[in-house]
Amino acid sequence: MFAVRRAIPAVRAAGARSFSDAAAAAGMTLNFSLPHRSVYFEKSVDRVVIPGMEGVYGITAGHTPIVSEMKPGVVDIVHAAGEEPEKYFVSGGIAITHDNSLTEISAIEAVQLDEIDGDAVKDSFAKAKTAFDGAEAGSMEKAEAQIQMEVSKEMAAAIGVAV
């Protein structure tokens, strides 16, 4: 293991880079998948903004390869420079950007923001809060209610609704 650690600085020096070798002019490609359907497959886009667990970040052509766990939040997809982004709320998932400017997003659930019913989000939060308050500490029910509260809260924030 220590031999690997000693070799890392030499490898970094030889192959150091801050961006992908892929030509930025070629654009980037997006694969956006859910368990039950593909939202986009090999779709050429200008950029994507992803809600990573460590913070929201943007991806453009030539971005350094990265793997990120997504938190509940909004994925912005800009199809062409200067256009308004297409916005999807995702409940979480994984985003992988490869060195060839391909970004793959795999989410459990995703819905376009304009399809979200604000009253249903408020109701979902209220039911989850009631379940959370009534559940035994450390129970599966309490954990599930907490997750639903967090997702509902992020969804409400995405569409500008107070919960």
Side-chain angles (χ1 to χ4, degrees), residues 6-163:
R6 282 193 293 268
I8 289 173
V11 171
R12 282 189 185 146
R17 65 179 185 193
S18 58
F19 294 99
S20 166
D21 291 332
M28 69 174 285
T29 304
L30 176 65
N31 291 340
F32 184 6
S33 301
L34 308 174
H36 58 282
R37 74 179 178 103
S38 179
V39 178
Y40 289 114
F41 179 71
E42 296 183 357
K43 175 74 172 168
S44 179
V45 299
D46 182 60
R47 67 183 176 275
V48 179
V49 178
I50 297 171
M53 290 299 283
E54 299 297 322
V56 176
Y57 65 98
I59 301 289
T60 57
H63 195 283
T64 302
I66 185 171
V67 176
S68 176
E69 180 180 359
M70 293 188 304
K71 67 179 183 178
V74 177
V75 171
D76 289 345
I77 302 168
V78 178
H79 294 276
E83 289 185 359
E84 287 295 314
E86 181 179 18
K87 296 177 181 264
Y88 285 86
F89 182 84
V90 295
S91 59
I94 300 290
I96 303 170
T97 297
H98 302 272
D99 65 356
N100 63 353
S101 291
L102 168 65
T103 293
E104 298 179 286
I105 296 173
S106 180
I108 302 299
E109 297 176 281
V111 63
Q112 287 185 296
L113 288 191
D114 59 359
E115 295 178 6
I116 297 174
D117 179 350
D119 290 333
V121 172
K122 289 179 188 178
D123 187 51
S124 175
F125 182 83
K127 286 179 181 175
K129 178 137 180 43
T130 299
F132 180 83
D133 292 341
E136 183 179 326
S139 70
M140 182 65 82
E141 291 80 17
K142 192 161 193 97
E144 289 172 348
Q146 181 177 3
I147 291 168
Q148 186 60 46
M149 284 172 47
E150 291 171 6
V151 170
S152 296
K153 185 176 177 181
E154 289 297 326
M155 190 177 288
I159 61 171
V161 172
V163 290

